[in-house]
């Protein structure tokens, strides 16, 4: 039986003034509960609440406050442009936006201006209120996480409290994660990795949390943690900085996920820190489902075995050894908000979730992720980006007539976004900047190639495989 999501947050004993440090601001658990209690009182009864997910203690307080009150949280990337932000607010129906940013009369030129009507609710870390109501139904929605598909605008994945709790318990078991740990990371607070594992995981296990603001090698080295989280790009940057890497030798566990960890980075980490990283695999829709173990073998290119409660199968074509990875278990999402067809399409007829990832199973039960079924899902720096969303943003520019977006191999980012466009009278940088003003900054192309026409088949469908090299 899984304990309710926030049970251990208020567990007695062991509190310390720096139980959480986020963006340089330290809070005890009592501070957090008090300030989050005030948030809970403000938002209680709302159907859903958005949170401007800056890497701050205010964001953590806002999320915990809404969860205390049982109000589903929609994290909004703080750098998202109006097209993406408006979509998230409109689609989720959030009428309240929690933010730690001071509400002055002059928002400044860079401050986002919502075109969707939303009431901004300030989060004040100095407020205190006791929240004494019991925990909401475990089957209710904890988070609505917007995530890209291959086409169209991002979809809101409905994640229940039960799914989050089950996943965090599975990870605590796999990684021997306890209150004695200090978790360090600097990942964004609007995705599963940084928010679910990186914040709610620390709160549920009772470990200390140091969020470094940005996940730089120097900040990781200075934080003195026992448990570190990073996407492969972060680990690649760590091994490029041998002094910072060596400073992590004292850590208990270095964990990589969100994208494949290149074997050379695995080996360099082992050489510089004296320990092999743990690699784990997950998706927004399923949370983390596979991992190597703190007390088990860790090998390059392998994401290990299922967490407790998860079952996997690989559906391969006749005679093939690799195929689509499919899952069942208590960590799966409850569907996409407002999108019954997309939800139905993500499950097989016999009820298994289709990850869209291609995997292989070793004889000892270890899983290897060998690719994705669709080239239209790009992973850059650990961010999931749908080619279609970037293509639509490009096509919104009046000078662009056709657009095709791909993920090209990149040493540091895994993949980089490259756009091929047919356009008149506009330069590369202007188009990159245009996308950055519409979507989140990490969704802008790194390169734009101008073509006279996109390669198409006889039916007129663009053929991305025939595009020239980036
Ligand atoms: C970026 N820059 C650009 C462009 N793109 N400038 C011009 N043109 C462009 N096209 C700018 C950036 O704004 C930045 O500026 C500078 O260039 C460096 O960018 P970059 O190389 O991207 O580095 P970065 O900004 O430091 O980002 C790398 C990163 C980041 C920190 C690793 O990608 C990141 O935080 N990734 C984590 C994603 C994540 O959490 N995914 C989890 C999804 P400036 O320096 O001025 O800012 S959840 C998930 O996947 C599942 C469940 C799972 O398994 O975990
Ligand atoms: P997201 O929904 O943003 O969490 O992205 C999920 C996708 O990230 C998965 O479908 C995989 O393609 C990829 N992914 C996550 N972890 C790993 C990993 N350890 N190895 C390979 N791919 C991964």
């Amino acid at each position: 039986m899984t304990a309710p999501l926030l049970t251990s947050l208020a567990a007695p004993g062991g509190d310390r003034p720096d139980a959480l440090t986020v963006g340089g601001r330290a809070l005890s658990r009592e501070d957090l509960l008090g300030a989050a209690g005030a948030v809970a009182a403000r938002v209680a009864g709302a159907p859903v609440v958005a949170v401007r997910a800056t890497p701050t203690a205010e964001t953590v307080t806002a999320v915990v406050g809404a969860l205390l009150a049982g109000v589903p949280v929609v994290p909004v990337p703080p750098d998202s442009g109006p097209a993406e932000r408006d979509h998230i607010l409109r689609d989720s129906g959030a009428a309240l936006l929690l933010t730690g940013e001071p509400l002055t009369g002059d928002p400044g030129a860079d401050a986002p201006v919502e075109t969707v009507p939303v009431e901004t609710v300030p989060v004040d870390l100095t407020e205190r209120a006791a929240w004494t109501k019991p925990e909401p139904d475990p089957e209710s929605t904890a988070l609505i996480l917007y995530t890209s598909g291959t086409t169209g605008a991002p979809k809101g994945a409905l994640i229940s409290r039960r799914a989050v709790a089950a996943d965090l318990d599975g990870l605590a078991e796999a990684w021997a994660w306890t209150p004695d740990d200090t978790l360090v990371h600097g990942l964004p607070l609007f995705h599963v990795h940084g928010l679910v594992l990186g914040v709610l995981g620390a709160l549920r296990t009772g470990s200390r949390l140091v969020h470094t603001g940005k996940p730089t090698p120097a900040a990781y080295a200075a934080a003195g943690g026992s448990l570190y989280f990073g996407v492969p790009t972060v680990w690649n940057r760590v091994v490029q900085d041998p002094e910072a890497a060596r400073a992590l030798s004292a850590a208990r566990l270095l964990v990589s996920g969100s994208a494949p960890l290149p074997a050379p980075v695995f080996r360099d980490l082992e050489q510089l820190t004296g320990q092999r990283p743990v690699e784990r695999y997950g998706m927004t829709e399923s949370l983390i489902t596979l991992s190597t173990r703190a007390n088990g073998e860790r090998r390059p290119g392998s994401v290990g075995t299922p967490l407790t409660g998860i079952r996997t199968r690989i559906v391969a074509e006749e005679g093939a050894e690799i195929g689509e990875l499919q899952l069942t278990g208590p960590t799966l999402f409850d569907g996409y908000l407002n999108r019954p067809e997309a939800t139905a399409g993500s499950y097989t007829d016999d009820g298994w979730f289709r990850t869209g990832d291609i995997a292989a199973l070793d004889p000892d039960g270890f899983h290897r992720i060998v690719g994705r079924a669709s080239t239209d899902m790009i992973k850059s720096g650990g961010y999931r980006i749908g080619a279609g969303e970037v293509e639509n943003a490009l096509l919104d520019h009046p000078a662009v007539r056709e657009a095709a977006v791909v993920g090209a191999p990149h040493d540091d980012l895994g993949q980089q976004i490259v756009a091929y466009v047919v356009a008149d009278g506009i330069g590369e940088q202007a188009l990159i900047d245009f996308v950055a003003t519409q979507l989140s900054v990490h969704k802008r192309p790194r390169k734009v190639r101008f073509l006279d026409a996109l390669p198409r088949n006889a039916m007129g469908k663009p053929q991305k495989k025939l595009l020239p090299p980036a």
Side-chain angles (χ1 to χ4, degrees):
M1 178 68 190
T2 308
L5 177 58
L6 296 173
T7 320
S8 46
L9 180 57
D15 202 11
R16 43 188 298 171
D18 58 353
L20 298 95
T21 305
V22 187
R25 174 79 189 235
L27 297 179
S28 67
R29 284 176 166 245
E30 199 184 329
D31 294 337
L32 173 64
L33 264 181
V39 170
R42 287 226 169 98
V43 302
V48 49
V49 65
V51 173
R52 184 168 291 143
T54 51
T56 58
E58 283 83 355
T59 295
V60 173
T61 304
V63 171
V64 172
L67 290 176
L68 282 172
V71 179
V73 176
V74 183
V76 181
D79 69 348
S80 55
E84 186 171 343
R85 194 171 51 245
D86 288 0
H87 166 70
I88 293 174
L89 293 174
R90 193 170 285 123
D91 188 67
S92 67
L96 302 177
L97 175 70
L98 287 163
T99 173
E101 283 148 30
L103 298 173
T104 61
D106 172 16
D110 293 338
V113 179
E114 266 68 47
T115 56
V116 176
V118 65
E119 184 191 336
T120 310
V121 180
V123 178
D124 180 349
L125 296 179
T126 63
E127 278 188 320
R128 295 289 176 268
W131 183 262
T132 51
K133 301 231 167 80
E135 279 229 29
D137 181 355
E139 295 307 320
S140 61
T141 301
L143 300 165
I144 306 175
L145 298 178
Y146 276 80
T147 189
S148 299
T150 51
T151 57
K155 302 187 284 279
L158 298 165
I159 315 289
S160 70
R161 303 172 80 94
R162 177 249 314 138
V164 173
D167 202 52
L168 296 175
D169 290 353
L171 291 174
E173 183 188 359
W175 300 340
W177 186 0
T178 73
D180 295 335
D181 278 310
T182 294
L183 169 64
V184 175
H185 73 93
L187 297 167
L189 298 185
F190 44 87
H191 283 312
V192 167
H193 199 163
L195 181 61
V196 175
L197 278 60
V199 172
L200 301 179
L203 296 177
R204 186 163 174 88
T205 57
S207 78
R208 235 185 111 218
L209 168 64
V210 178
H211 188 283
T212 58
K214 283 203 139 205
T216 61
Y220 276 33
S226 64
L227 178 60
Y228 281 83
F229 291 168
V231 296
T233 302
V234 169
W235 295 121
N236 182 50
R237 293 176 186 186
V238 165
V239 299
Q240 308 293 323
D241 182 344
E243 200 182 325
R246 281 189 207 100
L248 304 186
S249 305
R252 187 176 70 74
L253 216 58
L254 311 179
V255 183
S256 181
S258 304
L261 183 68
V265 178
F266 184 106
R267 281 194 283 267
D268 288 350
L269 266 178
E270 180 175 19
Q271 203 212 334
L272 289 163
T273 68
Q275 57 174 302
R276 296 180 150 223
V278 158
E279 191 170 1
R280 95 297 181 285
Y281 161 87
M283 282 186 84
T284 304
E285 293 87 340
S286 68
L287 306 181
I288 308 307
T289 49
L290 291 159
S291 184
T292 52
R293 300 293 193 270
N295 63 357
E297 193 192 344
R298 305 167 205 167
R299 49 176 107 116
S302 179
V303 294
T305 54
L307 299 182
T308 295
I310 305 292
R311 289 198 300 143
T312 64
R313 71 182 187 190
I314 289 173
V315 180
E317 305 227 324
E318 186 81 29
E321 288 187 355
I322 61 170
E324 187 186 30
L325 176 67
Q326 300 183 352
L327 304 162
T328 62
T331 67
L332 280 164
F333 75 146
D334 293 325
Y336 299 109
L337 183 67
N338 305 328
R339 291 195 179 49
E341 280 171 21
T343 303
S346 66
Y347 283 92
T348 63
D349 289 344
D350 58 347
W352 289 68
F353 176 69
R354 310 184 53 159
T355 65
D357 288 305
I358 307 299
L361 189 62
D362 289 339
D364 57 3
F366 274 44
H367 293 64
R368 282 179 287 122
I369 307 297
V370 296
R372 272 207 70 85
S374 169
T375 50
D376 284 338
M377 193 79 94
I378 300 167
K379 267 270 159 161
S380 186
Y383 284 115
R384 169 168 155 185
I385 301 139
E389 190 186 2
V390 183
E391 286 160 2
N392 287 344
L394 287 162
L395 289 167
D396 275 344
H397 194 287
V400 176
R401 284 186 279 135
E402 296 178 44
V405 167
V406 300
H410 188 275
D411 284 347
D412 182 46
L413 298 167
Q415 291 183 305
Q416 66 171 347
I417 305 174
V418 179
Y420 295 81
V421 298
V422 180
D424 307 304
I426 184 158
E428 176 174 29
Q429 196 56 47
L431 268 184
I432 291 172
D433 292 346
F434 177 73
V435 175
T437 62
Q438 298 301 303
L439 307 176
S440 295
V441 168
H442 64 264
K443 293 182 180 172
R444 65 185 150 178
R446 303 260 161 169
K447 282 189 186 170
V448 180
R449 294 269 323 250
F450 293 90
L451 302 178
D452 292 335
L454 294 183
R456 291 179 185 269
N457 65 11
M459 310 293 291
K461 193 172 179 292
Q463 297 294 290
K464 292 194 178 179
K465 288 201 178 88
L466 299 181
L467 287 165

